[in-house]
Structure formats: C-alpha cells, structure tokens
Amino acid sequence: MEVGFLGVGIMGKAMSINLLKNGFKVTVWNRTLSKCDEVVAHGASVGATPAEVVKKCKITIAILSDPDAALSVVFDKDGVLEQICNGKGYIDMSTVDSQTSCKISEAITSKGGHFLEAPVSGSKQPAETGQLIILAAGDKALYEEAVPAFNVLGKKSFFLGQTGNGAKMKLVVNMILGSVMNAFSEGLVLAERSGLNPHDLLDVLDLGGIANPMFRGKGPAMLRDDHSPAFPLKHQQKDMRLALALGDENGVSMPVAAAANEAFKKARSMGLGDLDFSAVLETVKLHKQSS
Ligand SMILES: NC(=O)C1=CN([C@@H]2O[C@H](COP(=O)(O)OP(=O)(O)OC[C@H]3O[C@@H](n4cnc5c(N)ncnc54)[C@H](OP(=O)(O)O)[C@@H]3O)[C@@H](O)[C@H]2O)C=CC1
Ligand SMILES: O=CCCC(=O)O
C-alpha cells in the first residue's frame, strides 16, 4: 500500500520508518524538508508540498505538533484540501482538540474525501517498535482500510465513534499523564530533600500498586537530570491546556490538572519546552527553603 506521511518530527520519523520497514511505500513531506533525509535513506519518496503527497497517495497520514500546524497543512496554500477528493483518505494522528478535528473533517468531507482522526498514546520508543495505542474516530470505512498500517504502527487500535471522540480520549489520557508526572517529580525531590535515597524510592514504587512504565522508564534518567526529549514538554503543556478547555466545556473541576498546567507553563518560561516533559522536575527543584 502507498501511504503519504506529513510531519517527520520525533513521532512521524519513527512511524514512517516503521511503515517502510514493514513493506509500505511511503511518500513524506515535512515543513523543514531536510528532516526527510533520514526517512528517504530508508526508502521513502519526498513530496514538495502536502498537496503533492495527497495527489500521489490514496491515504495520507499526518502527525504534527498542534492545532495550528494541523490546520495549516490542510487549509493553507499547497495544502491537503487542494488535492483531496472522492476516494482519498486523510488520517490526522496529531494530538489536537475535537473542534480542530471536526473543522478538518468537515473540510475534507465537503471535497468528497474521507477523514479519520487517530491520535496515539505511547511515545518515541513505542513509535519505533510499533507499540502505539491508536485512538481512532470518524470514517469507519477509512479506519478499516487503515488497519494494516495501524497494525504496523500500534499494538492496539480503538475505533471510538464520531469525529472528536479520539481527540477527547487522547486529551483525557494526557491530562492524567501530565498530572502524574508532576506528582512523581514532587516525590523525587521530596525524597531527596528529606534525606532519602531517591533510587530507593524508584525501587519501592516499582514493587507497589502504582508501579508503571513511566516511573520505570523515566525515573533513572530524571535522577541524572537527563531530559532528552521523547515527548517534548511544550506538547504536554499544549495537551494540558486543551484538556482544561475540555473540562471547562463539560463543567468538570480539575484543580490537579490546572496546577500541573501551571508547572508546565513555568517550565516553558524557563526555556525547557523542547526537552522531555520530565523536565517539569526542574520547576520543583527551584523552590529551596532557606533556614
Ligand atoms: N513525542 C511523543 O511522545 C508524542 C507526541 N504526540 C503528539 O504527536 C504530535 C507530534 O509530536 P512530535 O513528533 O513529538 O513533535 P515534534 O515537535 O518532534 O514534531 C512536530 C512536527 O510538526 C511540524 N510542524 C510544526 N508546526 C508546523 C506548521 N505550522 N506547519 C507544518 N508543520 C508543522 C514540524 O515540522 P518542522 O520539522 O518543520 O518543525 C514537525 O514535523 C503532537 O501533536 C504531539 O502532541 C503523541 C504521542 C506521543
Ligand atoms: O502524547 C504523548 C504521550 C507520551 C506517553 O504516552 O509517554
């Protein structure tokens, strides 16, 4: 199957290379075109614009930073809308809000195209190893058509119904993720400042009821102040912001998520936005009591 791929950032690069390794033909585009080189080295072709990719491919996948980026590649000059038509499918795997997804869906379908949103849970390593969790919603027929690709990209795909449900599910998951990361960061600093060995804390956590792959995977690196980006903090803050807006729309009080969002905003203001979201740890370390 020939697949178009828009966006070869951390996720898109890993996912498009994974498709190539599993026998798919892939045509890639990235705003910064030079970033396509590594994917081309694995056998991809390059399209000069999103429109050119859509013209060439029956199905085009996108995974871009945020709502502005997702809208831009569809609506701007040389964008997806210029070539989408009857018989072609567009799958947006970016993490955006449901309003953005619905706006894109309406535009695609008004041109006769098919639209599926399919944000993913899981990060850089699951993207490299095909272990993502795919949260799809929208056009069921396009979902069925995309299952062979989803089976390469992920360990499990969910079809969640109407457009917007995938976006909402992803935001709920990442709201929890971001809140937990803040509590974990506070725990690491509290352990150290109160005279405990934080490595012992990691061992204790790993044996208990709140053991999880994130503590296990990121904890040791965080203790080394290594925040090499797998999931950039600026994207986690965007997700907290969008999840809080979803809370507003639905009258859900989320004081924990609101506090976590403030910590991520603080981290961004400290210039940590391009580091992993674990760098929120640095905001906890800022506060040192003077005796
Ligand atoms: N990293 C992770 O662990 C996960 C990320 N996600 C989500 O996936 C999406 C991508 O994440 P990730 O790969 O980490 O992000 P990156 O920051 O690594 O990549 C972002 C991509 O978006 C492109 N982009 C940004 N702005 C624009 C624009 N205005 N027009 C066109 N292209 C644009 C970038 O192009 P350029 O190279 O030119 O800047 C790049 O291709 C985000 O929505 C994120 O929340 C979901 C699950 C996990
Ligand atoms: O959206 C990003 C999710 C990152 C993760 O699941 O570790």
Side-chain angles (χ1 to χ4, degrees):
M1 190 198 281
E2 171 125 27
V3 174
F5 211 101
L6 309 181
V8 291
I10 292 173
M11 296 299 283
K13 182 174 86 172
M15 292 160 73
S16 54
I17 289 175
N18 205 7
L19 287 171
L20 286 160
K21 284 181 178 167
N22 283 277
F24 286 78
K25 284 185 173 172
V26 179
T27 298
V28 286
W29 170 86
N30 195 67
R31 179 180 62 174
T32 311
L33 272 178
S34 60
K35 289 193 191 166
C36 293
D37 291 353
E38 198 177 334
V39 190
V40 169
H42 283 82
S45 310
V46 178
T49 63
E52 193 175 300
V53 174
V54 171
K55 186 175 182 187
K56 189 173 170 197
C57 303
K58 189 165 186 287
I59 292 182
T60 299
I61 294 172
I63 184 156
L64 303 155
S65 50
D66 55 21
D68 284 348
L71 292 167
S72 167
V73 301
V74 172
F75 290 95
D76 286 359
K77 185 172 177 316
D78 298 325
V80 170
L81 269 194
E82 290 185 12
Q83 288 296 332
I84 200 82
C85 59
N86 198 9
K88 286 188 185 283
Y90 185 62
I91 304 177
D92 193 348
M93 304 187 82
S94 319
T95 304
V96 297
D97 53 309
S98 64
Q99 290 85 348
T100 298
S101 220
C102 289
K103 192 171 173 186
I104 293 172
S105 176
E106 279 161 25
I108 299 283
T109 51
S110 73
K111 291 255 180 172
H114 300 271
F115 178 76
L116 190 72
E117 59 175 3
V120 295
S121 193
S123 192
K124 185 180 175 199
Q125 197 192 12
E128 287 166 349
T129 54
Q131 293 293 302
L132 295 168
I133 302 151
I134 294 165
L135 308 172
D139 189 313
K140 186 76 190 284
L142 179 55
Y143 173 76
E144 304 291 355
E145 205 178 341
V147 161
F150 289 165
N151 285 344
V152 166
L153 298 174
K155 61 181 173 186
K156 171 85 181 165
S157 300
F158 290 85
F159 182 77
L160 299 168
Q162 66 184 15
T163 304
N165 286 354
K168 290 176 191 171
M169 181 65 83
K170 174 61 184 166
L171 293 179
V172 172
V173 170
N174 273 28
M175 181 275 288
I176 298 169
L177 180 74
S179 300
V180 170
M181 175 54 87
N182 271 274
F184 184 46
S185 297
E186 290 176 7
L188 291 176
V189 176
L190 179 61
E192 190 164 26
R193 297 254 175 101
S194 60
L196 297 171
N197 181 340
H199 292 278
D200 289 342
L201 172 65
L202 294 184
D203 291 342
V204 171
L205 287 172
D206 201 37
L207 289 167
I210 57 168
N212 70 63
M214 182 173 85
F215 294 172
R216 201 174 302 132
K218 292 194 190 285
M222 289 169 73
L223 293 181
R224 295 193 304 274
D225 292 331
D226 176 358
H227 304 298
S228 310
F231 179 33
L233 186 143
K234 63 186 176 191
H235 296 331
Q236 172 67 88
Q237 194 271 314
K238 170 258 303 178
D239 295 349
M240 294 307 283
R241 171 172 62 80
L242 298 178
L244 286 166
L246 186 63
D248 281 352
E249 288 157 30
N250 290 280
V252 180
S253 169
M254 303 198 299
V256 175
N261 186 42
E262 288 305 315
F264 287 121
K265 281 161 64 182
K266 174 79 185 165
R268 286 188 81 165
S269 77
M270 291 163 63
L272 306 176
D274 289 327
L275 296 182
D276 192 72
F277 75 122
S278 63
V280 76
L281 174 73
E282 304 306 322
T283 68
V284 187
K285 287 187 190 163
L286 277 181
H287 305 285
K288 211 161 191 179
Q289 205 170 37
S290 51
S291 49

